[in-house]
Amino acid sequence: MVPMVDLKTEFNVIKKEVLDMLTEILESSHYILGPKVSELEKKISDYHNISAAIGVASGTDALHLSLDGLGISEGDEVITTPFTFFATAEAIIYTGATPVFVDVEPDTLNIDASLIEEKITAKTKAVLPVHIFGHPADMTMVQKIAKKHNLKVIEDCAQAFGAAINGKRVGSFGDAGCFSFYPSKNLGAYGDGGMIILNDPAVADTIRKLRNHGSKRAYRHETVGFNSRLDEIQAGILLVKFKRIDEYNTGRRQKAALYNKLLPGTVKCPKEKKGFYHVYHQYTIMTPERDEIQNRLKDNGISSVVYYPIPLHLQEALKFMDHKEGDFPVAEKAAKEVLSLPMHPWLEESTIKETAEIING
Ligand SMILES: *Cc1c(COP(=O)(O)O)cnc(C)c1O
């Protein structure tokens, strides 16, 4: 079966460096919040031209701790997209706030910023755009609205490490940028991990405490926090991969360009808006014949996945929000038509050709 991501080939390329790194860390006996985490934080903050980066246990925790650190709490409302991974809404709910959904743009499937203002109430405290599949959300518009209404902006960059708008990387627009290093993400560890980037030193200080039991100095607890740290081993592995992230993203963009060229006009290929730098965490097509195409690919040994079959407002767990079918028609149509194809920097040209031919029927 042709896989969606080829972590095995990736490992074989970086094997020696990874194993040397693991040996160094294991021999150091320093496994939590050590020098590798600090080095990665420094490299990632520099890469984004941002003053602080804080390693945490997952992308979900990056969102949760950012919201918490920015003061989002019980009774607040946070505007976000219904077309994302469930964790985006979960993190909002952890703080006691309520997610308020806004439908998405038909082309990028990112939050439709032109619909945000009508959802703002006295309770709205923040906007949480997601750079879905690696294409940046319209941050110019989001920032403008947030500024006008005095809202915080938390960017969910879990699928978009290195994506940018006019050269400015995602995560550096809002009050906090949140990354996930889940293994299949475009920058992935060999386990769970996440990172928050931000400029405000006071908020950074709060979040650093939150990730470590509310404590800055051993056994002095200023607040009730969490156990949410990026561990040394994952940070070491990420240092090996981070060096190559621009190369990986370039590779993904080349594969995407070939798909765009070879896929038939009957399916809608992902769009890249002018001035936007898409990193194709997923290469996602849209077609009303989605299920037939997926079956055909499967019969020919090619993986494909539906991200996401159910928009958040129709999820069982969020029933209490009283949404119904028809509330967010663009997200609902996307859920019926999207199909993500194999995408990674080592994808063979012949595989892309074969996939396109099978989709062609
Ligand atoms: C993966 C993902 C998350 C959660 O990240 P974890 O590291 O798995 O906790 C959040 N939001 C989006 C959009 C994601 O794709």
Side-chain angles (χ1 to χ4, degrees), residues 58-60 63 84-85 87-88 130 156 158-159 180 182 185 192-193 308:
S58 68
T60 307
L63 292 166
T84 177
F85 180 58
T88 310
V130 179
D156 183 337
Q159 304 187 1
S180 163
Y182 184 82
K185 302 289 161 126
D192 279 306
Y308 295 93

Side-chain angles (χ1 to χ4, degrees), residues 305-324:
V305 180
V306 175
Y307 301 116
Y308 295 93
I310 304 173
L312 300 195
H313 67 288
L314 300 177
Q315 292 285 351
E316 173 93 33
L318 301 185
K319 254 193 181 147
F320 68 91
M321 292 179 69
D322 277 335
H323 280 298
K324 56 182 188 320

Side-chain angles (χ1 to χ4, degrees), residues 131-142:
H131 308 296
I132 201 78
F133 302 148
H135 189 295
D138 181 354
M139 292 312 295
T140 312
M141 184 90 162
V142 167

Side-chain angles (χ1 to χ4, degrees), residues 25-80:
I25 294 166
L26 293 174
E27 283 177 347
S28 79
S29 309
H30 203 155
Y31 305 134
I32 297 282
L33 294 184
K36 299 298 177 196
V37 170
S38 305
E39 189 184 338
L40 184 71
E41 288 174 340
K42 173 82 172 70
K43 290 208 158 120
I44 288 183
S45 58
D46 287 351
Y47 182 78
H48 292 92
N49 213 355
I50 283 268
S51 64
I54 305 168
V56 294
S58 68
T60 307
D61 281 4
L63 292 166
H64 176 206
L65 268 57
S66 294
L67 289 159
D68 200 335
L70 286 163
I72 309 305
S73 65
E74 193 81 44
D76 294 342
E77 292 177 357
V78 178
I79 292 176
T80 193

